[in-house]
Amino acid sequence: MQSMDEEFYSIVTNICNQDSRYNPEAYEFVMEALSFSQNKFKKAKHISGEELLTGIKALLLKKFGPMTMTVLKHWGIKATDDFGNIVFNLVEHKILAKDTQDHYDSFKNAYDFDEVFNKGYRKQLAKRLKTMRF
């Protein structure tokens, strides 16, 4: 009998064989971001696409900081739409469930990666540096 992790990775391997646009690590990250987002919004179960994208943004910056764009490129992710594709691939393979409120469109052009992960990160860093004592 397969463990839940083995089953997940087996399904992700199948997904990636059918849709090779994204690195399997991107699927693992989306699942981690889902859990992170549920905690962030204090929801035990379902969260919206917008909430997930907010959590994804926060977790990417927390985990990868200035390397976020490099990581996203490695994963094959160019825009928030790609996270929608990953989520709906996971829905199609019954890893995730959706409700009637869930639509791919909620992932379309939600935020600009360069604005958030390059310019936005540098602005945040500059603010933090101003408050530090050397």
Side-chain angles (χ1 to χ4, degrees):
M1 190 160 127
Q2 281 187 324
S3 75
M4 206 131 142
D5 281 350
E6 290 171 336
E7 185 178 357
F8 172 77
Y9 290 112
S10 174
I11 292 169
V12 168
T13 298
N14 289 338
I15 292 170
C16 291
N17 287 337
Q18 294 169 11
D19 180 356
S20 62
R21 292 177 290 178
Y22 310 113
N23 186 302
E25 292 170 0
Y27 288 89
E28 187 175 348
F29 176 81
V30 166
M31 295 303 292
E32 182 182 357
L34 175 63
S35 178
F36 177 86
S37 301
Q38 287 170 321
N39 289 333
K40 179 179 179 63
F41 292 103
K42 296 175 180 24
K43 292 187 172 183
K45 294 204 181 238
H46 190 268
I47 61 170
S48 70
E50 292 85 358
E51 290 168 329
L52 179 57
L53 285 172
T54 298
I56 285 172
K57 179 178 12 176
L59 187 58
L60 282 168
L61 288 169
K62 180 179 178 180
K63 286 185 77 162
F64 304 111
M67 294 297 297
T68 297
M69 291 294 281
T70 302
V71 170
L72 290 171
K73 183 177 179 183
H74 173 71
W75 289 345
I77 297 174
K78 299 173 190 81
T80 56
D81 304 41
D82 292 315
F83 286 116
N85 292 329
I86 289 170
V87 165
F88 279 89
N89 279 344
L90 291 169
V91 166
E92 185 178 321
H93 287 83
K94 301 193 182 354
I95 296 286
L96 297 177
K98 71 179 191 102
D99 69 18
T100 57
Q101 304 298 312
D102 295 327
H103 301 284
Y104 171 78
D105 286 347
S106 59
F107 290 93
K108 288 182 105 177
N109 302 313
Y111 46 82
D112 179 81
F113 282 5
D114 185 53
E115 195 63 41
V116 171
F117 301 124
N118 282 333
K119 296 172 187 161
Y121 181 80
R122 285 196 296 270
K123 286 177 191 173
Q124 275 184 329
L125 184 59
K127 281 182 190 175
R128 276 190 266 157
L129 288 173
K130 283 181 186 177
T131 63
M132 294 174 115
R133 293 184 182 199
F134 295 99

